């Protein structure tokens, strides 16, 4: 049985991960408006990842006989002035998520909940990647400055991010011919 404090904070995290999804969905729309389809694509793959993060917590609670509580989602932000502002927000948001993951680890330790530790170790490591990616792209954009060519090249590069196999978020999976 999952300890109640662990269940409660994991239910909070399901919400946080879906709010990440929602935030990144807003950024996808913004990037498309700016004709930055590569950035939009990269964020689509990231948005997909966020739903898998939420579902890892969802399944963990269910598998351990706990009750899932789906909390209300907030729309965190809808508009940005520049692509750099959006990427900096993504980085700041991932730092916020890292703090939330660490807070879960703290509760897991206080409750001696050894069963939750392997999954939480995975999330601690995953957050290194999430911060590195969003910070890295922010820094590249800063270096590019006002160069249109630089922005074009970076956008092309971000268009190459691979979908996880069989992703239902890949537009190819839902824009089927004749459908
Ligand atoms: Fe996440
Ligand atoms: Fe990731």
């Amino acid at each position: 049985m999952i300890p109640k404090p662990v269940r409660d904070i994991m239910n909070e995290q399901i919400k946080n991960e879906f709010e990440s999804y929602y935030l990144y969905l807003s950024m996808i729309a913004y990037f498309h408006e700016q004709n930055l389809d590569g950035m939009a694509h990269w964020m689509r793959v990231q948005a997909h990842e966020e739903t898998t993060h939420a579902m890892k917590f969802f399944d963990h609670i269910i598998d351990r006989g706990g009750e899932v509580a789906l909390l209300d989602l907030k729309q965190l932000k809808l508009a940005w002035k520049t692509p750099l502002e959006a990427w900096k927000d993504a980085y700041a948001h991932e730092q916020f998520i890292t703090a939330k993951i660490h807070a879960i680890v703290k509760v897991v330790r206080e409750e001696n909940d050894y069963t939750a530790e392997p999954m939480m170790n995975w999330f601690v490591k995953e957050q290194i990647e999430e911060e590195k990616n969003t910070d890295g792209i922010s820094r590249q954009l800063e270096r590019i400055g006002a160069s249109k060519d630089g922005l074009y090249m970076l956008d092309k590069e971000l268009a190459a991010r691979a979908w996880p196999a069989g992703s239902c978020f890949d537009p190819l999976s839902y824009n089927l011919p004749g459908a």
Side-chain angles (χ1 to χ4, degrees):
M1 195 68 184
I2 189 167
K4 203 172 165 296
V6 174
R7 182 203 66 187
D8 289 347
I9 199 166
M10 285 189 179
N11 272 323
E12 278 282 329
Q13 194 59 21
I14 293 174
K15 177 188 76 101
N16 292 332
E17 299 290 350
F18 277 125
E19 282 182 350
S20 304
Y21 167 69
Y22 237 38
L23 175 67
Y24 296 154
L25 220 47
S26 291
M27 288 186 186
I28 291 162
Y30 167 72
F31 290 141
H32 280 304
E33 281 162 26
Q34 303 298 310
N35 292 316
L36 294 166
D37 292 346
M39 288 190 179
H41 165 81
W42 194 98
M43 242 347 148
R44 280 174 189 251
V45 178
Q46 189 59 36
H48 166 119
E49 262 200 37
E50 299 310 336
T51 64
T52 65
H53 295 166
M55 293 312 289
K56 277 178 196 279
F57 285 108
F58 186 99
D59 289 344
H60 185 85
I61 294 170
I62 302 256
D63 288 347
R64 300 182 66 196
E67 280 169 29
V68 164
L70 293 175
L71 308 171
D72 285 350
L73 298 182
K74 259 199 327 248
Q75 182 59 267
L76 300 176
K77 194 164 170 176
L78 289 163
W80 290 270
K81 285 192 195 76
T82 63
L84 177 61
E85 187 193 323
W87 285 102
K88 280 190 164 173
D89 275 358
Y91 176 45
H93 184 70
E94 288 303 332
Q95 289 177 298
F96 163 80
I97 293 292
T98 300
K100 293 289 182 188
I101 294 294
H102 292 176
I104 300 171
V105 172
K106 192 162 177 272
V107 173
V108 161
R109 288 189 181 165
E110 282 162 5
E111 295 295 319
N112 297 318
D113 185 11
Y114 306 113
T115 309
E117 279 190 12
M119 183 179 79
M120 292 319 300
N121 287 339
W122 183 89
F123 272 104
V124 168
K125 264 206 259 171
E126 174 68 8
Q127 283 311 117
I128 298 175
E129 180 195 288
E130 307 300 55
E131 288 193 23
K132 183 178 155 224
N133 286 342
T134 48
D135 184 36
I137 296 167
S138 300
R139 283 165 193 260
Q140 268 178 286
L141 267 174
E142 264 168 352
R143 225 174 302 129
I144 285 167
S147 158
K148 285 209 167 121
D149 287 351
L151 184 61
Y152 177 79
M153 294 290 283
L154 177 61
D155 192 61
K156 270 245 176 301
E157 188 187 314
L158 296 178
R161 186 175 183 186
W163 285 106
S167 171
C168 61
F169 286 78
D170 180 346
L172 286 176
S173 76
Y174 57 81
N175 288 323
L176 299 172

